[in-house]
Amino acid sequence: MPEFMELKRETMVHPEGVLKDVFGLPSFRGQQGDIIRHVVDGGDAVVLLPTGAGKSLCYQIPALCREGVGIVVSPLIALMRDQVEALRQSGVRAAALNSTLTPEEAQAIRIELAAGRLDLLYVTPERLVSDGFMGLLSRLQPALFAIDEAHCISQWGHDFRPEYLQLAMLKERFPGVPRLALTATADPQTRDDLIHRLQLDDARVFSASFDRPNIRYTIVRKDNAKTQLKEFLRAHKDASGIVYCLSRKKVEETAEWLTAQGIKALPYHAGLDRSVRDANQDAFLKDEGPVLVATIAFGMGIDKPDVRFVAHLDLPSSIEAYYQETGRAGRDGLPSDAWMAYGMGDLTLRRRMIDEAASPEDVKQVERAKLDALLGVCETTACRRQTLLAHFGEHHAGGCGNCDTCLSPSETWDGTEAARKALSAIYRTGQRFGAGHVIDVLRGNKTEKVERFGHDGLPTFGVGKDIDVKGWQSVFRQLAARGIIAADHAAFGALKLEEKARPILQGQEPVEFRRDLAPTGRRRQAKGGDIEISASPEDEALFQALRSERLRLAREQGVPPFVILHDTSLREMARRKPSALDEMTDIPGVGGAKIARYGEAFLAVVAQHG
Ligand code: ADP
Ligand code: ZN
């Protein structure tokens, strides 16, 4: 076992004392204080808070305040590793038991555990419920059980793990030991299900808004996705971020293309060799490969706090998936971007994936509804945040000032006439052609195909010259997003009219369209004053110098930089410019152990910049 920095064990009684001395934080955030006191007093809790809210402290502090070791059940080994490392850096006696350990290493941890020399132990669910481990624990009377990512117990959720089901037995096996279930999963079904399955019906439920005010949502019309991505990345030079693609092939192509453009990008998908995948994930965590291009195989359990952006080159399957994936940005509360390029091809592809899947029809119905809800977010002219939160049953007044529709309000236009022309052109060409040809007909282009089918003789030929090709593409996309038309996969994407088209064709129903903005539309300045970083050039330079020092220190130990100090702490340090160790104690995130270890090194950087 490694050497631990000696913590002042006598401060370990009061949650506030632990918060300050161990974690270097001045005050609790939101309901943290209430949750922690409730658990310290022996209560069970269900903690439903969004990513980045600070759920970890809700079990870490009670574990330090109560007698005995706190047991943390976590599904992911990468997550355990980083959490344990971060705790050790703060002087906490933490360890993780999982399948990556040699038998000797595992035995060493069991000895520490049995001797009462651990404050926190992270375990996978399968380890926890193994006979040997249960026997050992029952002789110890643990301080608490924290069940992280508790939604994994629910089949409703997207990350169901059968091993989680066995955790129900903790209630009977360890009466009197407080249990906390924690998750950032928002939907009510999953919540109810996990409370029920974990037998936490009597637990106090703590929940808060799922809004992530520091994340800026932007959904652009897909034009030339790679170039658009490159343009977007320009504003995020050297920042850590994830680019999601649907397929493995696209992941690889995109990573290669970005690299060729001089942007450090690494691929991640389940088809890569395990060692390559792990190495790329590690480089990402250690800030050595800032952009990770990935399929959704990547991300669950990654709690890197300083992911500055999540970009989607393909449409996710639902709002839940979109919110979870984008939620990986900005855990540290600093301004972050959720950016997506979306076009007609995306929605056709997603519909097709549902149609062609082997699932039963009722499942498909649910999936279609979920996709439609997400398309609604893509096509809305209202505040994106308001639309997203409404999906989770949460009211937001709108006008958030930190999404694209708020920053550059998009106009609507009366598309009744255009819609009729478009639908009529689809109908008259026999519902056998894709958007490209129908647009040629509308715009009166005498292409070879138009002449071959005699479409230049149709009454709709040339009636849409007033709208350019992009404009028509936008019309077709919006008609498809609303289910007024659909692409027939069996007929190579031929557009067909749906039932909803009838009243529009007959002129009985008006249609409003969203005016697509040019991909580089000018933006208004964001509101959200408290999260905007307004560093002076000198402070910014010092911040970058502190980051380099942190990277050096992290490499020395082979750990991710964020376990040493978070960006939020370095930003504050750059602002305050401490000249002595005791001036560091008030910087959030700089606890006693961190000052002892790294104080001098950072002071030297500040002094050099003085
Ligand atoms: P969650 O598990 O809810 O996603 P974390 O526990 O990872 O969130 O915490 C997110 C970030 O918030 C971390 O950078 C953490 O240091 C910071 N944090 C948590 N509690 C506080 C607090 N009381 N004051 C300041 N920062 C906090
Ligand atoms: Zn908004």
Side-chain angles (χ1 to χ4, degrees):
M1 295 294 295
E3 283 286 312
F4 290 103
M5 310 284 302
E6 200 43 48
L7 284 178
K8 283 182 266 148
R9 299 280 153 195
E10 69 271 17
T11 61
M12 303 290 245
V13 192
H14 298 294
E16 281 79 7
V18 177
L19 182 72
K20 180 83 195 67
D21 296 344
V22 179
F23 296 99
L25 296 169
S27 55
F28 286 121
R29 204 193 252 169
Q31 304 175 71
Q32 275 176 337
D34 292 339
I35 300 169
I36 290 167
R37 280 184 287 271
H38 176 72
V39 177
V40 170
D41 290 344
D44 292 340
V46 175
V47 178
L48 308 164
L49 297 175
T51 307
K55 287 187 286 301
S56 321
L57 289 184
C58 296
Y59 56 83
Q60 290 168 346
I61 294 183
L64 292 171
C65 292
R66 289 175 60 89
E67 278 293 315
V69 59
I71 304 292
V72 186
V73 185
S74 167
L76 285 134
I77 294 170
L79 181 107
M80 286 185 190
R81 195 184 54 200
D82 293 343
Q83 290 238 4
V84 166
E85 187 52 48
L87 285 165
R88 286 183 179 172
Q89 295 276 344
S90 294
V92 177
R93 301 174 303 176
L97 258 186
N98 57 50
S99 57
T100 65
L101 302 179
T102 63
E104 294 74 35
E105 287 169 330
Q107 182 56 18
I109 291 175
R110 276 194 289 268
I111 291 171
E112 292 295 309
L113 178 66
R117 284 196 294 265
L118 286 181
D119 300 313
L120 273 157
L121 180 65
Y122 286 72
V123 289
T124 49
E126 48 281 17
R127 279 276 165 144
L128 175 70
V129 300
S130 70
D131 289 344
F133 193 72
M134 276 288 151
L136 179 56
L137 268 194
S138 55
R139 293 194 291 278
L140 288 175
Q141 184 71 2
L144 56 85
F145 288 103
I147 299 157
D148 206 5
E149 311 288 351
H151 61 278
C152 289
I153 199 171
S154 170
Q155 278 151 358
W156 285 108
H158 23 67
D159 302 311
F160 176 57
R161 308 244 162 170
E163 316 85 81
Y164 261 65
L165 292 172
Q166 297 189 60
L167 299 175
M169 62 132 139
L170 291 175
K171 185 183 166 94
E172 273 166 31
R173 290 288 294 265
F174 297 92
V177 176
R179 292 174 302 140
L180 296 90
L182 309 102
T183 178
T185 288
D187 68 289
Q189 279 168 326
T190 309
R191 291 177 177 194
D192 293 347
D193 200 30
L194 78 87
I195 290 173
H196 173 68
R197 285 177 188 265
L198 287 170
Q199 304 197 34
L200 280 166
D201 306 85
D202 298 329
R204 220 171 116 184
V205 177
F206 297 87
S207 63
S209 166
F210 272 70
D211 187 17
R212 303 284 310 280
N214 60 316
I215 299 185
R216 175 177 297 180
Y217 298 98
T218 305
I219 302 177
V220 301
R221 170 188 87 207
K222 198 182 266 185
D223 207 5
N224 177 337
K226 277 189 194 152
T227 317
Q228 287 171 295
L229 175 67
K230 187 178 159 193
E231 191 63 29
F232 166 74
L233 291 181
R234 214 200 282 271
H236 287 280
K237 211 169 161 297
D238 296 328
S240 197
I242 308 171
V243 177
Y244 280 116
C245 302
L246 196 56
S247 71
R248 297 172 180 186
K249 186 159 160 257
K250 187 155 169 188
V251 162
E252 289 183 13
E253 279 171 10
T254 308
E256 267 169 38
W257 186 82
L258 287 174
T259 307
Q261 302 295 309
I263 298 167
K264 258 201 212 166
L266 295 168
Y268 186 103
H269 61 71
L272 288 172
D273 211 46
R274 170 120 225 162
S275 59
V276 176
R277 220 184 332 152
D278 289 351
N280 289 356
Q281 171 171 321
D282 209 47
F284 175 70
L285 293 175
K286 293 182 180 164
D287 287 347
E288 282 158 9
V291 179
L292 199 78
V293 187
T295 58
I296 50 165
F298 177 78
M300 156 84 168
I302 295 300
D303 67 347
K304 185 169 164 54
D306 52 1
V307 174
R308 290 277 69 88
F309 65 87
V310 170
H312 279 95
L313 283 187
D314 294 300
L315 188 71
S317 60
S318 62
I319 294 185
E320 286 84 351
Y322 172 73
Y323 209 66
Q324 216 201 22
E325 286 151 30
T326 55
R328 291 172 186 141
R331 274 177 180 262
D332 56 9
L334 293 175
S336 307
D337 269 297
W339 180 92
M340 174 157 77
Y342 145 85
M344 174 87 168
D346 287 290
L347 80 95
T348 331
L349 177 64
R350 277 290 176 188
R351 290 237 163 99
R352 178 176 183 166
M353 285 169 68
I354 298 173
D355 291 345
E356 292 179 355
S359 28
E361 192 50 36
D362 55 337
V363 173
K364 290 185 178 182
Q365 283 303 325
V366 174
E367 286 175 355
R368 285 190 193 108
K370 287 191 165 191
L371 177 60
D372 286 346
L374 179 59
L375 293 174
V377 173
C378 295
E379 299 290 357
T380 187
T381 50
C383 172
R384 304 256 193 225
R385 191 177 309 278
Q386 181 184 41
T387 318
L388 286 167
L389 290 172
H391 182 76
F392 298 123
E394 214 179 303
H395 175 73
H396 185 286
C400 75
N402 200 24
C403 75
D404 57 347
T405 53
C406 284
L407 292 167
S408 11
S410 82
E411 297 164 13
T412 55
W413 56 288
D414 179 2
T416 312
E417 236 352 86
R420 282 183 68 182
K421 288 177 182 172
L423 298 177
S424 157
I426 293 172
Y427 183 72
R428 294 200 183 257
T429 51
Q431 311 193 56
R432 289 167 51 212
F433 299 89
H437 179 73
V438 181
I439 292 174
D440 279 334
V441 172
L442 283 162
R443 296 204 17 93
N445 295 338
K446 287 206 177 201
T447 62
E448 180 272 327
K449 200 165 169 184
V450 166
E451 290 185 344
R452 177 151 44 98
F453 289 96
H455 288 162
D456 44 351
L458 293 175
T460 35
F461 185 73
V463 295
K465 287 198 173 110
D466 52 328
I467 297 177
D468 65 11
V469 175
K470 289 221 161 78
W472 280 118
Q473 283 169 345
S474 166
V475 166
F476 282 108
R477 191 196 71 231
Q478 296 186 57
L479 289 172
R482 293 179 207 178
I484 297 167
I485 61 173
D488 182 353
H489 322 308
F492 307 103
L495 297 177
K496 296 183 309 184
L497 304 188
E498 296 284 2
E499 202 42 49
K500 287 187 196 162
R502 192 190 300 269
I504 298 168
L505 256 179
Q506 291 170 348
Q508 292 162 349
E509 208 175 277
V511 182
E512 284 241 302
F513 287 125
R514 173 194 163 94
R515 197 180 293 287
D516 284 340
L517 298 170
T520 48
R522 237 180 358 122
R523 277 179 162 180
R524 270 197 235 149
Q525 201 45 45
K527 291 196 277 180
D530 53 331
I531 51 163
E532 211 61 17
I533 318 172
S534 49
S536 68
E538 301 81 64
D539 289 4
E540 183 62 31
L542 177 52
F543 170 66
Q544 294 301 343
L546 293 167
R547 276 187 84 195
S548 317
E549 178 62 10
R550 179 182 63 177
L551 188 58
R552 190 187 66 76
L553 293 165
R555 285 193 179 148
E556 245 171 41
Q557 302 175 60
V559 297
F562 62 79
V563 304
I564 294 188
L565 280 178
H566 284 186
D567 282 2
T568 40
S569 303
L570 296 188
R571 287 235 169 248
E572 196 55 22
M573 207 180 278
R575 205 175 64 78
R576 296 203 204 175
K577 306 179 188 55
S579 56
L581 289 181
D582 61 0
E583 290 170 31
M584 287 194 153
T585 53
D586 286 342
I587 296 172
V590 188
K594 302 259 171 108
I595 293 183
R597 276 195 177 186
Y598 307 118
E600 295 291 351
F602 287 115
L603 280 182
V605 175
V606 177
Q608 267 169 22
H609 270 250

